[in-house]
Structures are given as structure tokens and as C-alpha cells.
């Protein structure tokens, strides 16, 4: 009888235990390979690997399902290769926040959007010391220089003895003196640059572990630099080798870090007598000793070996996807599994990513929860959880992540764990674990909500599609969708398609459908696209021929009718086959019928219109139960009957009528008992008279007269 319990005090006392018992588990594949020069950490090894270390860490917190993260991964890999030799000073690192066990770690670092880059300083001891990177993470030319800036600033405050010095040389220092201090070096690279000397700092970090290259920072007005260049020039690189007193190379003004690095590697090869090949130069730059074994990058495997969909060609030359990963038209179904998994991931993963929710974020969350409570279709226990959660959040002025997590866990226990124990996808399943999934489920949930709202409100003249559904959805996506780039793009789509102009409920359904198609068109061919489920406009001709006109455009009326039917027809198919048994019927020792039956039948999917009534009646039922001590004539059974009658819309007996009925039944029972006792008494007296009186004796009871003979 836990379904009606509202206290939840024990649930709040043990939130950690409730998380283990009630929350869905999520595991996710990494976007990075072991061959990438990237350190991937998780909740188990992060603290020991990062805190108290004699180097810094530049960390990408990402989610493997996030489209922006999938698209950014190749860029971050290139960046990591540029900084491969920086690892003794700053290590390029990643953490996958989509992995269930990393949730505490990502919440500790307050990761609300992906991808987020953070710099953790030398010898740090907590997440509070991390610095969020706010520059352009896509700029492969500027990103290494900005990281060099952060390393330099870290060096200025900490002065780590293990790190190289970033001090510029004195104005009077000569190149000869630099050679004297650079024992064993084959090249000297002097960067003439004013501070902030980003290029000089980047090259200093890059060659800190390579004794064959000595870097130095000089002012553009340095005496010898002016002599070499003829004038003061900011941002030039001068390369010297042992065989010449003059620079063997003077770069153009302000070269990129990669260009300067490649030029230095080229002259290093020449200085070593061309004994180093390109791989050897890369090894030297990384700090490897000459002649040491350096593993070349692993060649790519056969098509599809990385888990992606393979394209094969049939005999007619038509491209088809490998059946192992190809999904047919059965993906075009509304599945309850997808809706509930989307809700579960939203409530237990997406919303509590930030440490505290307040202000406009809290307002957006309140409005969205109200939409879910009123219009989200699904099973009754799940909808009751949404309703109670919405009631709770409406009364809060601020919510911490811990408060939210504990409340969701408490409601899970109260309502019998309606959220799925495992995040699973059916129609939204991708060819790889990190493709489609939550974003597909979120779109599906949004469409189902607009259709449910349309059904309920189509005859309501005062209904506002914008304020009641679309605007709360937009603000929730913008503020709580952890894929930051996706959220920003949706805000642009809402403005582009004039969300504020939507009027009636049918326009609401069509607006979201049209916007979703616009997003699919924009993302077609993007790195995050599932190759087994290419982006296309919906509905395709295969499932709705009547939706298409002869000119290739959509028929709005036919499409609206299709959308209402499609998103209103929620299937309750299992991810795995239900347990079943065979019931056999025998006749004359032979099986005449065999029927398959299932254990644990699934609950049906209902509309969203009766949850508020159900909750209201149950609340009153609980209140009346608490008053039974002062009103003993009101039984618990009567309360249950009233509960059922109110849900069915039938009138229930009042308290006075119930008492009158009880008294009447008691009097009737008393009269019956008295009458029965009288009857028993009279019956006994009658039979005694009947037996002992000859007038009433029957013939077989007459004693024959005896005759005596002499």
C-alpha cells in the first residue's frame, strides 16, 4: 500500500540508497579511442589522477550522445595532437558525463552544457580551483595559444620548479650566451614578441621536454634582434643552428603555432644531418630519445569495424545498409518505452546537472513541469509522479540538485518505481549507443504533448498554444538541454519559424512538426547523424502517401490528421520479450489447444486528463482517514468506496446517510434475532405437547393393547 503514501521522510534520509534502487542506469561509449593522445578519466580515477599533480590538465567534459560533442570530437582530437608534447606541463583530458557513474563528478564541476572545457591548475586540490575556458574552442589556430596563456598565468602564481621559465631574456643577452646555457641543444629558437607573448609561451611549453631545442623570448626591441631583422618586428621567430652565427630562418610576422613548430622540426632534421624522419621529429618533439621506438598511428580497420553502419552495394548498384545495424520502417512508431526513458533521463540526469536551480531557470522548470503534469501521455503511475513533482516544484523558491534528486527518488518509492530501471530505446534506438536515444525521445515526447494538448483543448477558445505549451518547451530546451549548441540552435529555429505567432491548437501541432523537419534538414550529413537512420523530412511517403501533394509539398490538413493519429497511438511493445508460459487444454488424454500467456502484463497507456482528479480524491481520502479516531462510524471501507465513486463520476452517500443506514441495519438485525429466539422457544413447547398428547400421536406411535389368556 505504498501507492498512496506521501510522507517520503525515509526516502529523504537515504538519497544515495534511493538512487541505487530507483534511478535508471546509463552507460555510454566514448567518443575517443586509445590511439588518441588524450587521457580519459572517470569518477573512479579522476581525483587521484588530477589533484595534487605536478602538472595542469585541460579537460573536456562531454556527453557521448550530444550532437555538438560528436561534431566537436574530431576538432578536439586535432587539438590534442598539436599539444601531444605538452603532456609533462598540461595534459589534454576528457570525461564522459553521459556515463552514469560520472554524474557525481560532472555535477561537482557544475557542468550544465556540453562540451565544456576547463583548466585545472598545477597542484590543485578541488573542483573549485578549476577555470572554465570561455574562448573559441573551435579555433585550432588560437586554442593552443589560449591554453599557453593559462599555463603562463598558472606559472606566474605557482612558479613550479618542474616547469620551464617563461621569463624573457635580458635586452643585453646575446645568442652566443643563449647557446652557452643550452647544453646539448641543436637549435635555438628566439621569438621576438611583446607580452602577452602567446607564441613564445606555446613554443616554450612544446619544447620543454626536448633538450635539442632551446627557446627564448626576447623583446622586439632587443638589440641583437633589431640587428638581425633591420628593425623592431613583433611576432617573428628566428631559428639558429650551431653551424651559423646568423639565423637560418626568419619567419613571417606572427606565424601560427603549428607553422612555427613545423619549421623548427624541419631545421632540426637538417641540423641532425637528415637522420630523423618525420615520425622521429614528432617523437623528439614529444620528448622521446633519438632512436627510441615510436608507434605509428594504427591504420584504420575495415569498414564498420568501429561500430558504425557499413554501406554495401546490392547487385543493382543500390546502396543498402548492413542488416546488422539497419533499422526498417518499424522505427516509425510511438513507443511507450521511448517516452518513459526520455522522461526518466530528463528528470534524473538532465535537470540536476547544475548545483542549484533558481531565478529564470527555476521559472522555466516550473512551467515545463506544469506542461508535463497536464499533457504528458503515459501510464497512470508515471503521470502521477509528474503531477506530484510539479506540485512540489511550484512551491520552491530555489532548488539544489540534491533536493531535486531526493524528491524524484522519494516519489519513485511512493508510486512503486514507475520510471524504468534501465534507460532503453526501441523506435529511438540508434546503430550505436550514443546515437539518437535521448534527443529522439525528447522530440517524440514534445510531439506527443502537442497532440495530447490539441485533443484536450481544440474546443477551448481561451487556450493559448504559446503560453501553455510551446513557450515552456522552448525555455526548457534553451536552459536545460545539456547539448549547449543544440539548445542555441533551437532558440534560433523558434525565432525563425515565429513561435509567438502560433494560435490554435492545430497550428501548435503543425508548428512543432515543421520546426522539427527544418532541424532535420539542417543536420542532414552532420557528424552526429546516425548512418543507419539518415535525417529526412517526416512523414516519409512510405508511411503517409496522402500527406504528399503531387508537387512534392505536404498537404497540411492530411498531415495534421496523420500526426494526431500517429502520436496518439502509443504502442506498449517490450524491449525484450515478456516472460511467457503455455497453457494446454487436454481432452481424452490429448492436447486439443495450446495458448501462450505472459507473466507481468504491462499497464495500459492512458490520457492525461484524470490525474489531477485522482490526486485530489486521494488527498481527501488521506485526510479523512486521519479523522477516523474522532468519527469511528466512518469506516475505511466507506472511504475507499467514496474514492471509487468520485473517480467514476457517480454520487456517493453522505456521512449522515451512512449513519442512518447503519442504525437501520442494526435495528433490523436486532428484531431478527429476537424473532428467532421466540421462534425457537415456541417450537420446543409445540413438539413437547405434540409428543406426549395421544390426540396428536400418529398411528405408528400407538401402543397395541395386550390380551391375556388364562
Amino acid at each position: 500500500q505504498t501507492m498512496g503514501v506521501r510522507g517520503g521522510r525515509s526516502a529523504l534520509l537515504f538519497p544515495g540508497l534511493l538512487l541505487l534502487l530507483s534511478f535508471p542506469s546509463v552507460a555510454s561509449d566514448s567518443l575517443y579511442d586509445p590511439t588518441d593522445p588524450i587521457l580519459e578519466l572517470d569518477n573512479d580515477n579522476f581525483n587521484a589522477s588530477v589533484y595534487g599533480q605536478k602538472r595542469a590538465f585541460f579537460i573536456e567534459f562531454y556527453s557521448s550522445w550530444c550532437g555538438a560533442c560528436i561534431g566537436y570530437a574530431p576538432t578536439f582530437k586535432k587539438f590534442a595532437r598539436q599539444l601531444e608534447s605538452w603532456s609533462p606541463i598540461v595534459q589534454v583530458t576528457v570525461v564522459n558525463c553521459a556515463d552514469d557513474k560520472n554524474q557525481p563528478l560532472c555535477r561537482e564541476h557544475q557542468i550544465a552544457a556540453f562540451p565544456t572545457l576547463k583548466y585545472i591548475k598545477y597542484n590543485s586540490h578541488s573542483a573549485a580551483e578549476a577555470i572554465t575556458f570561455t574562448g573559441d574552442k573551435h579555433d585550432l589556430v588560437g586554442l593552443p595559444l589560449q591554453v599557453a596563456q593559462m599555463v603562463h598565468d598558472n606559472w606566474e602564481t605557482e612558479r613550479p620548479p618542474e616547469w620551464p621559465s617563461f621569463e624573457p631574456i635580458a635586452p643585453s643577452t646575446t645568442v652566443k650566451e643563449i647557446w652557452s646555457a643550452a647544453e646539448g641543444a641543436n637549435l635555438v629558437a628566439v621569438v621576438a614578441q611583446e607580452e602577452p607573448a602567446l607564441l613564445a609561451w606555446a613554443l616554450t611549453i612544446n619544447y620543454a621536454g626536448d633538450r635539442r631545442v632551446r627557446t627564448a623570448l626576447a623583446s622586439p626591441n632587443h638589440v641583437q634582434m633589431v640587428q638581425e631583422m633591420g628593425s623592431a618586428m613583433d611576432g617573428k621567430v628566428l631559428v639558429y643552428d650551431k653551424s651559423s652565427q646568423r639565423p637560418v630562418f626568419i619567419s613571417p610576422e606572427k606565424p601560427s603555432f603549428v607553422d612555427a613548430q613545423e619549421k623548427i622540426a624541419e631545421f632540426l632534421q637538417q641540423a641532425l644531418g637528415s637522420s630523423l624522419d618525420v615520425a622521429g621529429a614528432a617523437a623528439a618533439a614529444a620528448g622521446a630519445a633519438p632512436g627510441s621506438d615510436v608507434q605509428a598511428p594504427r591504420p584504420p580497420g575495415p569498414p564498420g569495424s568501429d561500430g558504425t553502419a557499413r554501406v554495401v552495394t546490392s547487385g543493382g548498384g543500390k546502396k543498402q545498409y548492413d542488416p546488422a545495424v539497419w533499422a526498417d520502417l518499424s522505427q516509425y512508431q510511438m513507443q511507450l518505452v521511448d517516452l518513459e526513458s526520455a522522461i526518466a533521463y530528463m528528470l534524473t540526469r538532465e535537470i540536476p546537472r547544475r548545483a542549484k536551480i533558481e531565478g529564470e531557470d527555476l521559472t522555466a522548470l516550473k512551467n515545463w513541469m506544469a506542461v508535463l503534469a497536464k499533457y504528458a501521455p503515459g501510464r497512470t503511475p508515471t503521470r502521477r509522479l509528474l503531477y506530484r513533482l510539479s506540485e512540489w516544484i511550484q512551491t520552491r523558491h530555489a532548488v539544489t540538485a540534491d533536493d531535486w534528486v531526493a524528491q524524484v527518488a522519494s516519489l519513485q518509492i511512493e508510486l512503486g518505481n514507475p520510471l524504468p530501471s534501465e534507460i532503453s530505446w526501441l523506435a529511438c534506438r540508434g546503430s550505436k549507443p550514443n546515437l539518437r536515444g535521448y534527443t529522439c525521445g525528447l522530440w517524440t515526447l514534445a510531439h506527443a504533448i502537442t497532440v495530447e494538448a490539441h485533443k484536450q483543448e481544440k474546443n477551448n477558445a481561451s487556450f493559448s498554444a504559446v503560453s501553455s505549451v510551446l513557450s515552456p518547451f522552448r525555455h526548457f530546451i534553451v536552459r536545460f538541454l545539456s547539448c549547449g549548441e543544440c539548445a542555441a540552435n533551437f532558440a534560433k529555429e523558434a525565432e525563425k519559424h515565429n513561435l509567438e505567432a502560433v494560435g490554435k491548437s492545430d497550428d501548435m501541432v503543425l508548428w512543432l512538426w515543421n520546426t522539427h523537419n527544418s532541424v532535420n534538414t539542417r543536420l542532414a550529413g552532420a557528424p552526429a547523424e546516425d548512418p543507419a537512420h539518415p535525417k529526412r523530412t517526416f512523414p516519409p511517403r512510405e508511411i503517409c502517401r496522402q500527406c504528399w501533394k503531387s508537387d512534392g509539398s505536404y498537404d497540411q490538413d492530411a498531415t495534421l490528421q496523420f500526426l494526431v493519429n500517429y502520436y496518439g497511438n502509443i504502442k506498449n511493445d517490450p524491449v525484450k520479450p515478456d516472460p511467457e508460459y503455455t497453457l494446454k487444454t487436454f481432452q481424452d488424454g490429448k492436447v486439443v489447444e495450446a495458448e501462450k500467456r505472459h507473466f507481468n502484463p504491462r499497464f495500459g497507456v492512458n490520457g492525461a486528463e484524470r490525474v489531477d482528479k485522482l490526486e485530489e480524491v486521494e488527498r481527501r481520502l488521506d485526510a479523512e482517514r486521519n479523522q477516523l479516531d474522532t468519527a469511528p462510524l466512518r469506516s475505511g471501507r466507506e472511504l475507499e468506496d467514496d474514492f471509487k465513486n468520485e473517480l467514476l463520476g457517480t454520487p456517493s452517500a453522505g456521512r449522515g446517510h451512512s449513519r442512518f443506514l447503519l442504525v437501520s441495519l442494526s435495528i433490523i438485525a436486532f428484531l431478527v434475532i429476537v424473532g428467532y429466539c421466540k421462534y425457537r422457544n415456541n417450537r420446543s413447547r409445540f413438539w413437547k405437547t405434540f409428543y406426549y398428547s395421544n390426540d396428536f400421536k400418529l398411528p405408528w406411535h400407538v401402543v397395541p393393547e395386550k390380551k391375556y389368556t388364562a
Side-chain angles (χ1 to χ4, degrees), residues 678-695:
K678 289 288 185 181
Y679 164 74
R680 290 282 298 178
N681 185 43
N682 291 336
R683 180 174 176 271
S684 175
R685 293 167 64 184
F686 169 78
W687 282 109
K688 286 179 181 179
T689 303
F690 183 82
Y691 184 80
Y692 290 108
S693 176
N694 288 335
D695 294 339

Side-chain angles (χ1 to χ4, degrees), residues 513-564:
W513 159 74
N514 187 51
T515 302
H516 193 177
N517 274 341
S518 176
V519 172
N520 279 347
T521 301
R522 176 172 52 81
L523 294 179
E529 182 183 45
D530 190 336
H533 303 271
K535 300 289 185 184
R536 58 193 302 193
T537 56
F538 180 86
R541 292 181 185 272
E542 294 90 334
I543 64 173
C544 185
R545 293 191 178 277
Q546 71 273 17
C547 295
W548 290 78
K549 295 180 179 179
S550 58
D551 61 358
S553 62
Y554 280 104
D555 184 313
Q556 299 283 314
D557 294 334
T559 301
L560 174 63
Q561 186 60 45
F562 170 83
L563 294 173
V564 171

Side-chain angles (χ1 to χ4, degrees), residues 152 155-156 159 164-170 195 201 204 214-218:
H152 171 266
W155 172 83
E156 278 200 324
R159 297 285 171 158
S165 173
F166 292 91
E167 293 284 4
I169 60 175
E195 292 200 11
W201 297 337
T204 299
R214 171 72 164 88
T215 60
L217 168 61

